[in-house]
Amino acid sequence: MTAATTSSRRAGGPRPGAALAAKSLLYALLIAIAVVYIFPFLINVATSFKTDADAASDPLALLPQTITTAAYERLFLNSDFPVWFKNSFIVTIFVTAGRVFFDSLAGYALARLRYRGRNVVFAALIAVMAVPNVVLLIPKFLVINQLGMYDSYAGMIIPLLADAAGIFIMKNFFESIPASVEEQAKIDGAGVFRTFWSIVLPMARPALITIIILSFQGSWNELSHFIISTQSPDLTTLTKGVASLASGQLSQGSQYPLKLAAAAIMTVPVAVVFFIFQRRILNASDGAVKE
Amino acid sequence: MTAVTNRPSLARRRSRIAGREGVAGWLFTAPMIVILGLFLVIPVGMALWVSFSDWTGRGSPFSGSVGFVGADNYNTLLSGGGLAERDFGISLRNNGWYVLLVVPLQTALSLFLAVLVNRAVLKGRGFFRTAFYFPSVTSSVAITVLWLFLFGATGAVNKVLSYFGVNGPNWFQDPSGIVHNLLGAVGITTGPAILTENTALGVSLWDWLAGPSVAMSAFVLMAVFTTSGTFMLLFIAALQNLSGETQEAAMMDGANGWQRFWRITLPQLKPTLFTVLTLGIIGTWQIFDQIYTGTQGGPGKTTVTPAYLSYTSAFNNQQWGQGSAIAFILFVIIVVLTLLQRFVLRDRAVSKRRLRAYGIAVKGMER
């Protein structure tokens, strides 16, 4: 209040004091909310370096009483964690590469190629997008099982290789590129695939990056598909493994430092991708829709 | 097309190109058609058959020994009178309360954050957006593990509450419904006979009104925490597409910030509001990862959701028909609610005429 009155005297305009007070209030509010959003992650990291007793007695402290890397050592040297990490990595790489290729192919065809049945294909795509993922758990298992892909990388990767939302984003992007660009290439005698591959695709970089980010996030964080497509411990992904940790496998008692260390490591790759592409993620409204 | 018939040579060239494009079109879309067809369309058909069959999970669901049982699986769930019906009722109760709380909260909070962050004069906008959005990119498994710790009996949340003299509950172990708890605080511990003696889906009406359990409430907070950032981005994009003119006109006419928000900004945001509400409803009826990782339906079945029940019925109890039937009922619930909401919030997009009407309304408001 005092700040408000002094500034109003200084500026002398129409109620600038009130404006300043409102501004300070806005910042105070924003900072308070930001703390609520960030604090849990700080606690997560801090706790992963605590001892079990410390984590239980002082859950809020951001500085461990004694810093210990016991949780991380246990995870890497004394558990299946490296296997989980490797599996998540393999699946994510293949799924991301596959989605970038197949989504852009299909998006291009739906946006630009005139062929009989295109509207039917597009309508079917929209209809498929409306089917909720969780409803598909049992059905997907049935098909994967019938195809003999259960408990294999094929069963984990192939069903995720194309996604309707990604195709949609690519289609929208290709529609925004002027058609004259390709006409030139066509007149020069380039085939359809060549036009797509060397003319149009390089122009689609912003959309491709969006697909990469979404696919990476989506497949790294995927849980339910791996639950129903695998059983073998050799094929356990991070999400599945950490979920089993959470429900008490591998541990006696609560062992929160161990679980939170696993959660922290699992968050690192998506956090890195997020901070690299931050500007794009936060500005592109296209990329904002998560599934 | 009419122009083409007049010029045969061009038509021939066009059709040749179209032919080439036709082949390419199908080739380009073939991978997607195969993958989505094989893992989305055919599965739905197969599961629909299983939901009408007595398949026990052994062998192929299409083998001769699997029988068609009509609507038996659905009847067991909806009017069987047994444990299956009761569990299904409980799961609907749990998830219903979850949707009822999460959808309005996440929508309001994300809109609030978007309006706060969208100010042109704001310094550090990027920082705040990053802070609010970051929970949305992390995996639901990692967040659930964190939540189990934060909301533990001696966790961070209860520690903070203790500063205010509140003795926090043992969140994920507490099956009591929060509506019942609130009523209990004013001395009402049992409902009127009309509520306790009548049941729907094997659950008494009084229990339907129990509210989300304390454990489920922690999941509610988690959902709001992790989704508000995503929806904030949608609202920011929409806010930036609004023309400043109407705002300025209203400002000139003396409408205050609150009036401008309710009368001008909000009506223009209606399409985005519709998107956010739809995605919210679709998402909240599918809660699965968190339950699988966190509570496995406990305590006292108060975090069992239809998605989770469908999974456990099939994969743990080998009740494949029932599991599939639950999945299809869930599908119908989501579709019906989305359509209902579409009807209620009919897309009366803000037309030019209406915009003008708003302008007039604001002008009229001033005096």
Side-chain angles (χ1 to χ4, degrees):
Chain A
M1 253 324 167
T2 44
T5 45
T6 46
S7 88
S8 87
R9 218 177 297 134
R10 204 189 318 128
R15 298 169 59 214
L20 187 71
K23 208 170 167 187
S24 323
L25 199 70
L26 172 69
Y27 278 106
L29 185 63
L30 275 170
I31 290 168
I33 302 173
V35 167
V36 172
Y37 274 81
I38 297 170
F39 206 66
F41 294 104
L42 298 181
I43 291 184
N44 188 349
V45 174
T47 308
S48 69
F49 289 104
K50 289 179 181 175
T51 60
D52 282 11
D54 190 10
S57 65
D58 205 353
L60 266 180
L62 291 183
L63 272 181
Q65 278 173 342
T66 46
I67 295 178
T68 168
T69 53
Y72 291 92
E73 277 163 32
R74 173 102 197 268
L75 277 181
F76 279 104
L77 303 175
N78 232 334
S79 78
D80 289 335
F81 195 81
V83 176
W84 305 343
F85 199 93
K86 182 196 80 184
N87 286 328
S88 278
F89 192 75
I90 292 173
V91 169
T92 303
I93 293 294
F94 278 99
V95 169
T96 305
R99 280 197 189 175
V100 167
F101 186 61
F102 293 134
D103 287 1
S104 50
L105 266 183
Y108 181 71
L110 291 174
R112 277 301 159 76
L113 304 181
R114 281 154 296 158
Y115 63 98
R116 197 170 298 179
R118 184 178 80 168
N119 292 335
V120 178
V121 172
F122 186 63
L125 182 73
I126 298 289
V128 157
M129 266 174 96
V131 181
N133 198 25
V134 159
V135 172
L136 286 165
L137 286 184
I138 299 172
K140 263 203 289 192
F141 164 77
L142 294 175
V143 169
I144 289 171
N145 206 20
Q146 285 284 299
L147 292 175
M149 297 199 303
Y150 185 72
D151 238 349
S152 72
Y153 280 118
M156 295 165 81
I157 293 169
I158 295 173
L160 299 179
L161 279 184
D163 72 314
I167 293 168
F168 208 70
I169 291 172
M170 290 312 294
K171 175 184 179 283
N172 281 346
F173 186 85
F174 286 129
E175 276 169 351
S176 72
I177 295 180
S180 55
V181 177
E182 301 148 76
E183 268 157 26
Q184 197 61 44
K186 262 182 223 164
I187 290 166
D188 291 345
V192 181
F193 185 77
R194 210 196 142 86
T195 312
F196 162 75
W197 185 255
S198 35
I199 312 272
V200 187
L201 206 55
M203 292 177 73
R205 231 167 91 192
L208 290 178
I209 292 176
T210 305
I211 303 287
I212 291 175
I213 298 167
L214 289 179
S215 310
F216 185 90
Q217 254 178 39
S219 47
W220 185 266
N221 292 339
E222 176 67 52
L223 169 67
S224 55
H225 175 68
F226 302 137
I227 294 176
I228 57 105
S229 61
T230 61
Q231 193 176 32
S232 146
D234 293 337
L235 292 174
T236 300
T237 57
L238 267 181
T239 44
K240 225 177 123 178
V242 176
S244 72
L245 270 188
S247 56
Q249 218 167 298
L250 193 81
S251 61
Q252 321 267 298
S254 55
Q255 294 215 345
Y256 278 116
L258 182 83
K259 295 173 186 170
L260 290 170
I265 299 173
M266 165 175 193
T267 310
V268 168
V270 276
V272 167
V273 169
F274 173 67
F275 284 110
I276 291 175
F277 296 105
Q278 206 187 149
R279 196 163 282 267
R280 174 169 305 282
I281 297 173
L282 291 176
N283 289 331
S285 49
D286 270 351
V289 189
K290 197 176 155 191
E291 298 285 283
Chain B
M1 267 297 142
T2 43
V4 171
T5 46
N6 299 338
R7 297 158 71 178
S9 70
L10 187 66
R12 221 176 301 132
R13 222 181 77 209
R14 279 250 176 108
S15 81
R16 201 172 63 231
I17 291 175
R20 210 165 57 182
E21 280 191 8
V23 175
W26 282 107
L27 277 179
F28 277 32
T29 37
M32 148 199 134
I33 294 172
V34 171
I35 294 169
L36 295 184
L38 215 49
F39 298 106
L40 275 170
V41 181
I42 295 177
V44 173
M46 273 178 87
L48 196 58
W49 157 248
V50 170
S51 79
F52 290 107
S53 80
D54 58 1
W55 188 53
T56 52
R58 245 167 284 140
S60 161
F62 298 113
S63 74
S65 59
V66 178
F68 178 79
V69 296
D72 277 9
N73 290 318
Y74 292 89
N75 287 337
T76 316
L77 290 170
L78 298 173
S79 57
L83 189 63
E85 186 195 353
R86 197 180 138 71
D87 282 354
F88 183 59
I90 289 174
S91 77
L92 282 182
R93 192 264 320 254
N94 298 340
N95 212 338
W97 281 105
Y98 179 80
V99 174
L100 210 60
L101 288 178
V102 172
V103 173
L105 283 175
Q106 74 187 6
T107 309
L109 180 63
S110 54
L111 178 57
F112 179 68
L113 293 178
V115 171
L116 282 189
V117 168
N118 195 44
R119 314 231 161 171
V121 289
L122 188 72
K123 286 202 183 70
R125 267 199 294 180
F127 166 76
F128 290 118
R129 283 191 194 187
T130 306
F132 301 153
Y133 185 67
F134 186 69
S136 308
V137 300
T138 54
S139 93
S140 45
V141 173
I143 295 269
T144 306
V145 171
L146 176 56
W147 231 247
L148 290 173
F149 175 65
L150 294 178
F151 284 77
T154 57
V157 172
N158 281 355
K159 190 99 177 179
V160 172
L161 286 177
S162 73
Y163 295 151
F164 298 97
V166 179
N167 195 4
N170 188 356
W171 295 82
F172 285 108
Q173 304 297 325
D174 192 336
S176 63
I178 59 170
V179 172
H180 275 186
N181 288 349
L182 287 175
L183 289 173
V186 294
I188 304 169
T189 47
T190 44
I194 189 161
L195 291 181
T196 48
E197 279 164 18
N198 291 303
T199 63
L201 290 173
V203 180
S204 78
L205 297 182
W206 175 245
D207 282 337
W208 275 93
L209 297 175
S213 66
V214 174
M216 197 50 140
S217 307
F219 282 123
V220 168
L221 293 173
M222 180 163 118
V224 175
F225 176 71
T226 50
T227 54
S228 46
T230 313
F231 293 139
M232 172 192 75
L233 291 190
L234 292 184
F235 278 124
I236 288 176
L239 284 170
Q240 284 174 351
N241 284 335
L242 299 187
S243 79
E245 287 167 28
T246 339
Q247 286 281 349
E248 276 164 29
M251 220 184 283
M252 298 289 258
D253 293 335
N256 65 30
W258 195 243
Q259 287 167 329
R260 290 202 305 273
F261 178 75
W262 278 106
R263 306 275 178 134
I264 298 175
T265 311
L266 204 57
Q268 284 179 284
L269 286 179
K270 214 163 175 184
T272 313
L273 206 58
F274 174 70
T275 309
V276 168
L277 288 172
T278 306
L279 291 175
I281 290 175
I282 292 173
T284 45
W285 274 107
Q286 296 195 62
I287 173 174
F288 174 83
D289 291 9
Q290 296 85 332
I291 309 297
Y292 177 90
T293 308
T295 53
Q296 285 93 39
K301 294 187 182 176
T302 60
T303 59
V304 172
T305 62
Y308 186 73
L309 188 65
S310 157
Y311 165 80
T312 50
S313 308
F315 289 87
N316 295 357
N317 305 334
Q318 303 300 312
Q319 301 273 9
W320 291 86
Q322 251 172 49
S324 305
I326 295 172
F328 280 102
I329 297 174
L330 183 60
F331 189 18
V332 171
I333 290 175
I334 294 174
V335 171
V336 167
L337 280 179
T338 308
L339 292 178
L340 191 73
Q341 185 233 349
R342 192 180 289 257
F343 178 75
V344 172
L345 268 179
R346 267 186 311 277
D347 193 16
R348 287 164 293 198
V350 187
S351 63
K352 288 238 170 65
R353 194 173 53 78
R354 272 190 84 115
L355 265 184
R356 230 174 295 134
Y358 287 129
I360 293 162
V362 173
K363 272 184 194 137
M365 209 160 58
E366 176 203 4
R367 275 161 271 270

